[in-house]
Amino acid sequence: MASTLSEWHTKPITVLTCDGRLISGILQGYDQLQNLVLVKSYEKVYSLDNPMERVDLGLFVVRGDNVAVIADCNDDGDGDGVDGDMEGEEDVRAEPVKSIYGNR
């Protein structure tokens, strides 16, 4: 995993946490325990009743034991690594992701 993370350093990524949160940002740092440091980060919050909500987080640390999935993500092409207006997502409604811990 560390070799892949080194390729993604200073690139936009999305992290699905074990508690079901979807956090995107620029990978600024990581360690051997898969602890992640994200800058310009935000959380996408989904619900059936409301459109997707973007919650800005800024500098954010994700503990390695809470990381379920890490993926590279597309940005809006302006070079800052952060999704711009997230075209097409403003009307998306979905059930929140269930906790990974509870799926045993």
Side-chain angles (χ1 to χ4, degrees):
M1 178 58 75
S3 63
T4 301
L5 289 177
S6 66
E7 295 171 13
W8 290 349
H9 189 255
T10 69
K11 303 257 193 285
I13 65 167
T14 298
V15 178
L16 175 62
T17 63
C18 292
D19 58 355
R21 296 174 71 186
L22 193 61
I23 300 170
S24 298
I26 300 172
L27 180 63
Q28 191 66 35
Y30 61 92
D31 65 11
Q32 69 274 15
L33 299 175
Q34 205 170 325
N35 295 311
L36 307 174
V37 178
L38 303 176
V39 294
K40 297 183 182 177
S41 64
Y42 57 92
E43 179 178 4
K44 292 181 180 179
V45 181
Y46 294 93
S47 82
L48 292 175
D49 301 326
N50 299 310
M52 188 271 304
E53 178 182 358
R54 176 180 165 151
V55 179
D56 288 323
L57 302 171
L59 179 67
F60 196 77
V61 177
V62 183
R63 285 181 48 120
D65 62 352
N66 194 28
V67 173
V69 177
I70 304 172
D72 60 344
C73 66
N74 298 327
D75 67 359
D76 59 3
D78 65 2
D80 68 357
V82 179
D83 289 339
D85 56 359
M86 296 185 296
E87 249 180 71
E89 291 192 36
E90 55 275 348
D91 291 327
V92 173
R93 288 176 168 72
E95 288 187 34
V97 178
K98 293 188 170 112
S99 171
I100 304 295
Y101 292 126
N103 292 337
R104 294 181 185 187

